[in-house]
Amino acid sequence: MSQNTVREQRNTAIDVSFIFRRLWRNIFVILMCACITGVTAYVCLDHFMGSSYTATMEMAMIARDNSANLLSDGSLNSAMTRNLNVLNSEMLAEQMDKDEDIADISGSVSASQVAGTNLIALTASADSAENAMRLLKSALSSYPTLSGYFESGYMLRNLTGLSVDNINEAQPRTAYYAALGLLLVLAAGVGLTVFFCISTERIHSRDQAEAVLDIPVIGSVRFSRKKRKQKALLVSSPLADGLYVEDIDKLATRVQEKMAKEGRKILMVNSIQENEGKSSIAVNLALNYVRRGKKVILIDADMRRPAVAKIFDHTVDKGTSLSDYLKGECSLQKVMCVDPKQKNLRYIFQDSAVGEADRLLESREFSELLRRVASHMDYVILDTAPIGAVRDAEIIAAAADAVLLVIRQDGVRAAEVNDVVDVLDDTGVAVLGGVLNMEKGNRGSSHSRRGYGKYYYGYGNKR
């Protein structure tokens, strides 16, 4: 089987875990809409629908004389069929319309054979017992006028009289129809969600990403919840999930391999949209490389919504931000911070958002900063503003050696990622690939690996 065929099969395969995630995300809205529909339908139907009443008369088909032909089963069945057809015909309805006594009554009349007998049950339904009785009486009086034209050997004899004892009240099925409406809306919500999942181009799994993206997917990082008292997801934290640490380590290895091929040092970590977890990926890559004995400097170049200082719970002194250095208001020694616990790790933080950040990033000072720190470090990792939101990332890409795109699962469409890759290619920067972040599902072996994750965690946090 060719590689293209495998990619097409991955792209068209139904991702059940993705469908369940979308259903779980939208279940509240679906249930709310279904409940509103059910309650509204119940109130409306209860107001407009009333009870219906049915009056019934039983009649027997009998021969007028004792002729052998008339008493045969075949003749009797034929006569039964003829009379039922007339009782349920438009002719009877037209004859009844001539009765002025029922001119203002809306209802219906029907006849059916009692199974296995020569009996016919004639019923009339209306919105009141009186009207049902009037319809039945009109049908009984109109029928003989028509029977004279087609029936001579048989006759219908009434077995029950016109009595209130033969009238039944049927309560409206308000709750039934309201529940049916609720179920229909619920099914429609589930169906639309499933249809969206099948037809969407959002990146929802690593296999799908590999099939539809123009860049390789070099890693995936599972979704991990912060534990109590854990301010950020840091691989250096003793509270870090071992499996999350393992994912970061695998990603760091792949990035290191690709960076080493061309002697690249300056890595820009970017995303298409906000809240895709690019800052956490950038920080944890830096921490991972430091554990490997590499000299790393982490620069928060997102001067629109800086996050690195918050992740480290670090207070940035006034006048010591990246923007202050680019404006010439402070020296590099003052703006660069050294982690007391990680001797090989340096930081350049950004305290708050600044206006016209793109002009500062286009300045000669920024490109010189990157060249200067790169000469003393093994890696320069840049956390940058989302490329799909502002042009800052395009400016930085021109000065960087490589780009790692962070793609949040279920967050962006394949076309958006591929468009961004084209933009980055135009800047001349090498796009190493993408990493699927906050991945849920598609980890069938995660439970079996949990024990290994525990041991890996102990190794990863060894001082």
Side-chain angles (χ1 to χ4, degrees), residues 28-225:
F28 176 77
V29 175
I30 295 174
L31 289 176
M32 183 177 64
C33 292
C35 291
I36 291 175
T37 300
V39 172
T40 303
Y42 182 87
V43 172
C44 294
L45 292 173
D46 186 61
H47 179 75
F48 291 105
M49 290 182 65
S51 299
S52 61
Y53 297 83
T54 301
T56 306
M57 170 77 72
E58 283 194 352
M59 300 179 292
M61 177 69 68
I62 59 175
R64 293 182 184 276
D65 54 44
N66 293 327
S67 171
N69 291 334
L70 295 177
L71 294 176
S72 66
D73 291 340
S75 298
L76 183 62
N77 289 336
S78 297
M80 184 73 72
T81 301
R82 289 195 301 271
N83 281 272
L84 283 173
N85 289 338
V86 172
L87 289 171
N88 291 311
S89 68
E90 292 293 332
M91 292 186 296
L92 180 62
E94 292 174 358
Q95 190 67 26
M96 292 174 62
D97 288 341
K98 299 176 182 179
D99 187 352
E100 296 181 356
D101 190 43
I102 63 167
D104 57 344
I105 297 176
S106 60
S108 62
V109 175
S110 63
S112 60
Q113 181 182 2
V114 179
T117 68
N118 64 333
L119 301 179
I120 292 178
L122 182 65
T123 60
S125 299
D127 56 359
S128 69
E130 179 184 358
N131 289 339
M133 187 64 73
R134 290 165 64 184
L135 282 176
L136 183 60
K137 183 178 180 181
S138 178
L140 290 173
S141 62
S142 300
Y143 170 73
T145 304
L146 299 177
S147 64
Y149 293 102
F150 67 90
E151 192 62 73
S152 59
Y154 296 89
M155 61 180 295
L156 288 174
R157 175 176 294 176
N158 297 342
L159 299 181
T160 55
L162 293 172
S163 170
V164 293
D165 295 334
N166 297 328
I167 299 177
N168 295 318
E169 179 183 3
Q171 295 291 337
R173 304 176 68 183
T174 306
Y176 170 79
Y177 290 114
L180 185 61
L182 183 149
L183 291 176
L184 288 175
V185 173
L186 187 63
V190 173
L192 287 174
T193 302
V194 172
F195 174 77
F196 168 81
C197 293
I198 294 175
S199 60
T200 186
E201 292 184 355
R202 290 185 183 274
I203 304 300
H204 53 78
S205 70
R206 181 166 180 172
D207 285 345
Q208 181 225 12
E210 291 173 347
V212 299
L213 296 182
D214 295 337
I215 54 174
V217 180
I218 62 175
S220 58
V221 179
R222 74 194 69 228
F223 176 80
S224 181
R225 294 186 183 277

Side-chain angles (χ1 to χ4, degrees), residues 286-319:
L287 292 173
N288 184 278
Y289 289 139
V290 168
R291 288 187 177 278
R292 300 183 185 206
K294 303 295 182 181
K295 295 181 179 179
V296 181
I297 181 168
L298 177 62
I299 302 177
D300 191 348
D302 185 353
M303 289 189 282
R304 308 285 181 169
R305 294 187 62 181
V308 175
K310 294 179 182 178
I311 292 176
F312 284 107
D313 195 24
H314 179 83
T315 301
V316 182
D317 296 333
K318 186 176 181 180

